[in-house]
Amino acid sequence: MSKITRLVLALVCLLAAGVLAGCTQPQERAEFLPEAANDQQLAILPEDWQFLTTDWQEAENVPELLLVQGEENIRPMQFGYSWSHYIDREKGEVQGFIACGMHPLDAQPDLPKLEPGESVTLVWQAEPTQYGVTAYAYDEWQQRTCGNTEPEEITHTNVALLEGLISFDLLADEHSYVYVIDAKWQDENAPGLGGSSEWAFYVE
């Protein structure tokens, strides 16, 4: 066996050993997945639910949001949104779209309903750079005396303005609430990409 042949065989063996080692070592949990403590919540997500493993800047649509309460997963209703993404990063080609929608308070009868006082977890398909959750007193909205009353003029509570996976307790008092979630995906290095979206659900 020639010296060159022996070197080639040795190299092949090293590469094979490296591949096998990589297969046998446990992979670290990806950063975009919830922590191990939330594995129980992950287990009740829909079978078709997929976290975005690629940069959200190349996602064709606004990343989805799912609510988890107890043993159930609920898709909140989506309202107005805007989104721009790369269709060719190397060429810098971007595609975008905008969709307008009514305020969620006006769509209350069609909103998914959650239980008051219970904890709810927001599970993002791709973590936004910023989001906020506001609870609007729907019973006050129903009883408003002026047809042009602004949502901000009724009782509203800022529930959360945080980053990452979050769980919080839904309000349980004399009001019924429409919860509105506003999320943004932004990158200061690429200001023309990403966008925002609004979702809502109802608690009574």
Side-chain angles (χ1 to χ4, degrees), residues 127-177:
E127 183 182 334
T129 52
Q130 179 183 347
Y131 68 85
V133 183
T134 304
Y136 293 92
Y138 179 69
D139 52 328
E140 290 184 8
W141 181 254
Q142 282 184 304
Q143 299 166 12
R144 65 192 189 282
T145 56
C146 183
N148 61 358
T149 300
E150 295 295 327
E152 288 70 22
E153 295 173 2
I154 65 173
T155 299
H156 60 283
T157 304
N158 294 323
V159 178
L161 184 58
L162 301 169
E163 296 180 1
L165 186 81
I166 183 174
S167 295
F168 57 90
D169 292 333
L170 299 177
L171 300 173
D173 52 32
E174 71 276 12
H175 293 297
S176 56
Y177 288 100

Side-chain angles (χ1 to χ4, degrees), residues 52-69:
L52 294 180
T53 57
T54 58
D55 190 338
W56 55 256
Q57 293 179 356
E58 296 180 354
E60 293 184 6
N61 298 298
V62 178
E64 294 184 12
L65 168 64
L66 197 68
L67 311 174
V68 174
Q69 186 179 57

